[in-house]
Every structure is written in C-alpha cells, then in structure tokens.
Amino acid sequence: VLRLSSAQLPVGEEDLQVQAVGTPAKASAPFLVTFSSQWVITNFAEMVSLLRYFPRQDLVSKLRDAPVDQRAAIWREFWTATDPVPLTPENEALDDYLHRVQVANVRFQESGRPGWLTDRGEVYITLGEPDEVLDFSNSGVVRNAPQSIRWTYNTHRLTLLFQDLTGFGRFELTPGSRADYQQVLARLRRQQ
C-alpha cells in the first residue's frame, strides 16, 4: 500500500513509477490529480474560472491572486473554510456547486456556449432549481415578440425573465431581472 498526501502532489496528469528493490522489475501507471470527484479539473486556472459563481467570492479572489508557490496552501485554506462537514474527506459544498455546473452544462447550453456560462446556467448554479418555469418561447401566442422564459423563486420573492432577442436561442436576463437577481444574490452572500 502506497499512501501519498494530496498536499504533496501537483494538480494534473502524473505518472506513478514503481521498481522492486534489488530487481529490474518496473511498473508504471498514469493517474490524475484533480480538485473534486465531481469534475475533472487539470489545472489551477481552470478551477478558479469554474468558481466564478461560488458563494465565497472573497476566498475565490484569494485563489485567483495567489502566487504559484502559495497556491496549494491557499487551496487548503479555501477547502477548510468552505467544507460544511470537515469530518468527511469530501467538500460537500464544492461537490454540490460542481454538480450544479454539470447540470447547467447539460440543460442550458446555447449555440457554442457551455451551459454554465449562460444566464440561465448562472442563475441555476447560484440559486438552484426555480419553483416555477413558464416557457413562452414555443407558445406562438404573440407573433414577432421576443421568445421568453420566466423563472420564479418563491423563497426569494424573485421572478426572472429571460429573453431571446436575437432569435438564435440565447436567452439572457432582461436588465430589470438582472438587477433583481443581483440584489437577491448580494443579500444571500451577506448572510453567509
């Protein structure tokens, strides 16, 4: 049994090489060191980019600004500060966040943009599943009107309107909805 501390390994693809003492016998196996079991991330910049909607932006900023030689220590600090159940090896908050990123990628992909980078993906990742979704994009009720989708979050007393102004399936928050969403998000982050 070979035990390695994750703090000793760099993120990315590695190669484990083993040689039996006193013999020419050797074995080699590739392995991947990543940040979470929910998402395969092979470099620090990719991880920081994926955390753009994470609730603790103060800690994400520290990660983004970390010098290369301090990244591992600052990552451990981030992990410890955001882990709701320190007795487990997982960081449940990070796993939940990355699971939402995965779901957003599947459900909200738009013409060449991954789902997590769309407005609906952003809202889904930060607020979760809406209580009610009304899709007016295929109703045909109003001709020549922008296609729209309305999401309602009862707990937050929030109704958001996404519109496709171009007709190419890119649903973006209306300016009023963007402002309402940012207010709710700011309130939630202050409460943490």
Side-chain angles (χ1 to χ4, degrees):
V1 174
L2 176 63
R3 297 186 194 278
L4 298 172
S5 167
S6 60
Q8 298 171 326
L9 300 171
V11 172
E13 188 176 340
E14 297 294 324
D15 189 50
L16 177 64
Q17 297 179 1
V18 181
Q19 181 173 2
V21 177
T23 70
K26 290 183 181 182
S28 177
F31 67 97
L32 183 66
V33 179
T34 187
F35 292 97
S36 168
S37 62
Q38 293 294 314
W39 196 279
V40 177
I41 299 163
T42 60
N43 65 60
F44 193 81
E46 182 181 353
M47 184 64 195
V48 172
S49 177
L50 280 172
L51 292 172
R52 73 177 57 205
Y53 309 129
F54 196 77
R56 293 291 309 270
Q57 284 299 300
D58 57 323
L59 297 173
V60 174
S61 292
K62 286 177 80 172
L63 287 171
R64 187 177 300 111
D65 298 337
V68 174
D69 62 330
Q70 295 177 17
R71 287 179 177 172
I74 293 174
W75 176 255
R76 281 191 295 281
E77 179 184 324
F78 172 87
W79 184 277
T80 303
T82 62
D83 188 2
V85 187
L87 297 175
T88 63
E90 298 84 20
N91 180 324
E92 294 79 7
L94 186 59
D95 285 349
D96 181 53
Y97 173 83
L98 291 173
H99 177 73
R100 286 186 186 187
V101 170
Q102 287 176 326
V103 171
N105 274 340
V106 171
R107 290 177 52 190
F108 307 118
Q109 183 177 2
E110 298 175 349
S111 61
R113 286 172 42 186
W116 76 283
L117 291 176
T118 66
D119 284 7
R120 288 182 295 163
E122 175 185 356
V123 172
Y124 174 80
I125 292 165
T126 56
L127 299 181
E129 194 72 47
D131 298 308
E132 180 182 49
V133 176
L134 292 174
D135 187 344
F136 304 107
S137 63
N138 295 319
S139 66
V141 173
V142 181
R143 299 241 185 256
N144 300 326
Q147 303 293 311
S148 59
I149 299 172
R150 186 177 75 196
W151 286 11
T152 303
Y153 289 90
N154 296 327
T155 307
H156 304 301
R157 297 182 179 172
L158 178 66
T159 299
L160 301 174
L161 188 63
F162 300 89
Q163 289 187 324
D164 176 14
L165 298 175
T166 65
F168 290 105
R170 293 185 90 153
F171 288 89
E172 296 180 350
L173 284 166
T174 63
S177 288
R178 171 63 68 184
D180 293 344
Y181 163 68
Q182 288 177 329
Q183 282 182 331
V184 167
L185 199 57
R187 185 178 71 237
L188 291 173
R189 287 184 174 163
R190 278 193 306 270
Q191 292 171 354
Q192 294 179 341

